Amino acid sequence: MKMLVCICACNGALREKLDIRAVSKAARKLPDVDSVLTVSSLCTEEGRTLLIRELHDRNPDRIVFAACSPRNHEQTLRRILVAAGMNPHLMQIANIREQVAWVTPDRPAATRKAKRLIHAAIARVRYHEPLEKLTIPVCTDVMVVGAGPAGLSAAQLLAQTGRNVILVEKSPSPGGMPMLFDETFPDRTCGSCMMQPMLDGVLHGEYPGRIELLTLSRVRSIRGALGHYEVSIAQSPRYVDAVHCVGCGECVNVCPVMVRSSGFGGVDKRRAVDFASSGALPHVPYIDASACLREKGKSCTACLDACPVDGAIRFDDRLQLHERTVGAVVLATGGAMFDYARIPSLIQKSGADVMESREFERMLSNDGPTRGKIRTLSRRTPRGIAIVHCVGSLDEEYQPYCSAVCCRYALKYR
Ligand code: SF4
Ligand code: SF4
């Protein structure tokens, strides 16, 4: 093997910080090193021309650059190798500027460190193989997981660029958490009104047919690699046909089953057949199979009998599997609430009713469980309310980072 070690003095700046001559001498003695070249500045036109000429003359089969960070000039150096007729991957960079000169004030120590980094780079470049560029056909369709604000925006932007999008949402309707917020920070816009233009864009926007929305769906499996993934999506039955349903709500009015809603802290109640939220789009209800009397072996047909449209209620709906090919996946699954029950002292010491922000949010909503009135768990009007910020955040024991939303979120209650 015939190696060239090329040391860049960074316009003389490195000479003050380390002994370039000693570094060069040490490199010359390392196995397989054929020659060592010191240049004033590799990233200038002059340095580039000099290096191309030297590469032609010396004809090395591996190169180690002792220079600045690969973040700065790795691509520059690769282009020089290509210009000299070499494979651009037969090189390795020892970063003797950011990792040595700039952080090691003691000159002898910096010199020793530079020697070691060059030694390591030589040991590594020995194993480099010439890589060739391949052209691989890729699928341009994209799967976006999560149809909250982030997922909806991503889907729209992708559709604008001409991509086909499969938008996978686990809940019965798109829109995410804001759909249940009565007022949002800072201008107190209603959450579902805020989401309306985005939902409209996805459901009936300028890119018809580009976005396929799959609600009540989860990604079952994904196989493949960047540019070509085979995805399998399981879609739970809705039991209401979105094409036939006119959203009149007659089925909801007659359903005899009332259960706690699984979302938003479980404070809301819903019928076994109900809309996901009052502003849900498309405005089509769904039957929660776990609550429906039919799943319990009873023979209820109240919703079917009340429905004015033939074929809208479909008790024979079944789980569907959708197989799709996509080139990329965008994960926009949103945030999750921190479980305050993990901090027992918060509840035990206060002696007060403690509820999480989403429960409080729903209580303040006009369509919430108390129709906008604030009540304790025992349904009394509280004498005062304390809002605790940063629960679980900025705490090494729970989440060491800041949620970045709770301050603004809580300030709207003022
Ligand atoms: S069939 Fe189920 S969803 Fe329909 S009304 Fe009866 S309990 Fe409600
Ligand atoms: S399923 Fe029938 S009753 Fe229920 S909202 Fe749709 S059209 Fe109305």
Side-chain angles (χ1 to χ4, degrees):
M1 198 161 280
K2 191 177 172 190
M3 278 193 213
L4 167 68
V5 176
C6 181
I7 303 171
C8 176
C10 197
N11 269 325
L14 298 192
R15 289 191 191 280
E16 290 172 25
K17 305 286 183 182
L18 38 104
D19 185 345
I20 297 272
R21 194 187 295 266
V23 171
S24 166
K25 201 170 155 194
R28 220 175 286 274
K29 292 182 187 157
L30 293 170
D32 292 332
V33 174
D34 176 68
S35 51
V36 177
L37 174 70
T38 303
V39 294
S40 168
S41 178
L42 272 173
C43 58
T44 59
E45 190 50 41
E46 198 185 351
R48 179 180 182 277
T49 310
L50 171 76
L51 183 57
I52 292 175
R53 195 175 60 235
E54 292 290 337
L55 288 172
H56 279 138
D57 291 350
R58 301 179 193 223
N59 196 24
D61 49 23
R62 296 288 188 283
I63 302 177
V64 166
F65 290 104
C68 58
S69 163
R71 284 175 180 236
N72 296 328
H73 285 300
E74 186 174 45
Q75 294 311 318
T76 313
L77 297 173
R78 285 198 199 287
R79 281 195 290 273
I80 293 176
L81 263 56
V82 171
M86 284 188 68
N87 186 287
H89 299 281
L90 296 177
M91 64 160 234
Q92 179 64 29
I93 296 176
N95 179 358
I96 61 166
R97 192 176 73 170
E98 285 84 348
Q99 289 181 353
V100 180
W102 287 2
V103 291
T104 312
D106 180 61
R107 197 164 184 263
T111 303
R112 284 196 299 277
K113 195 172 170 187
K115 286 180 190 172
R116 283 205 302 275
L117 283 184
I118 292 170
H119 197 161
I122 288 170
R124 176 181 161 150
V125 79
R126 206 185 305 280
Y127 297 101
H128 283 206
E129 296 285 339
L131 301 177
E132 299 301 335
K133 272 193 183 167
L134 294 176
T135 303
I136 302 168
V138 296
C139 174
T140 58
D141 294 358
V142 179
M143 174 171 72
V144 177
V145 185
L152 290 169
S153 306
Q156 267 188 298
L157 285 171
L158 287 161
Q160 274 169 23
T161 63
R163 306 295 182 95
N164 293 319
V165 180
I166 297 117
L167 181 55
V168 181
E169 170 57 43
K170 70 174 180 187
S171 63
S173 293
M177 277 199 212
M179 294 301 287
L180 289 165
F181 286 5
D182 218 21
E183 294 176 344
T184 54
F185 181 86
D187 56 4
R188 307 203 158 196
T189 315
C190 108
S192 64
C193 308
M194 185 183 81
M195 294 304 299
Q196 223 68 15
M198 224 186 266
L199 289 169
D200 230 31
V202 165
L203 296 169
H204 337 96
E206 305 156 50
Y207 320 102
R210 284 230 176 274
I211 302 174
E212 178 189 19
L213 172 66
L214 298 175
T215 52
L216 291 165
S217 297
R218 287 176 186 269
V219 177
R220 217 169 56 125
S221 67
I222 177 161
R223 286 189 308 275
L226 194 65
H228 192 104
Y229 296 104
E230 302 290 344
V231 295
S232 173
I233 302 154
Q235 184 172 35
S236 300
R238 186 177 197 99
Y239 302 107
V240 177
D241 188 314
V243 175
H244 288 88
C245 172
V246 293
C248 66
E250 289 300 327
C251 52
V252 181
N253 296 338
V254 297
C255 178
V257 180
M258 183 74 91
V259 287
R260 280 200 179 278
S261 165
S262 56
F264 263 52
V267 288
D268 279 315
K269 288 187 176 165
R270 70 179 305 277
R271 305 272 174 186
V273 57
D274 214 331
F275 297 95
S277 64
S278 53
L281 282 181
H283 199 58
V284 176
Y286 73 102
I287 294 179
D288 177 355
S290 65
C292 175
L293 294 176
R294 296 176 66 85
E295 286 298 308
K296 297 177 173 55
K298 310 236 169 95
S299 60
C300 181
T301 56
C303 52
L304 179 67
D305 299 340
C307 179
V309 183
D310 281 348
I313 297 280
R314 286 193 37 209
F315 292 136
D316 61 348
D317 202 1
R318 292 288 171 267
L319 182 127
Q320 292 178 58
L321 290 182
H322 304 275
E323 310 290 339
R324 298 284 185 274
T325 303
V326 295
V329 177
V330 176
L331 286 181
T333 48
M337 294 297 289
F338 175 79
D339 180 9
Y340 65 83
R342 288 172 62 195
I343 309 179
S345 58
L346 194 70
I347 306 167
Q348 288 160 3
K349 287 189 187 155
S350 69
D353 279 1
V354 179
M355 61 181 65
E356 64 158 65
S357 49
R358 290 178 309 175
E359 295 167 323
F360 189 56
E361 188 74 45
R362 285 306 293 156
M363 203 176 266
L364 289 174
S365 296
N366 288 324
D367 67 342
T370 57
R371 303 280 171 231
K373 295 192 176 66
I374 299 175
R375 295 286 180 265
T376 63
L377 294 177
S378 52
R379 299 270 153 189
R380 287 207 297 262
T381 307
R383 277 189 293 154
I385 300 165
I387 293 176
V388 186
H389 288 246
C390 308
V391 176
S393 297
L394 300 169
D395 187 331
E396 288 300 329
E397 214 179 311
Y398 304 106
Q399 315 285 10
Y401 51 84
C402 165
S403 80
V405 294
C406 78
C407 295
R408 280 174 293 170
Y409 178 73
L411 278 173
K412 73 179 181 181
Y413 298 132
R414 283 171 59 85

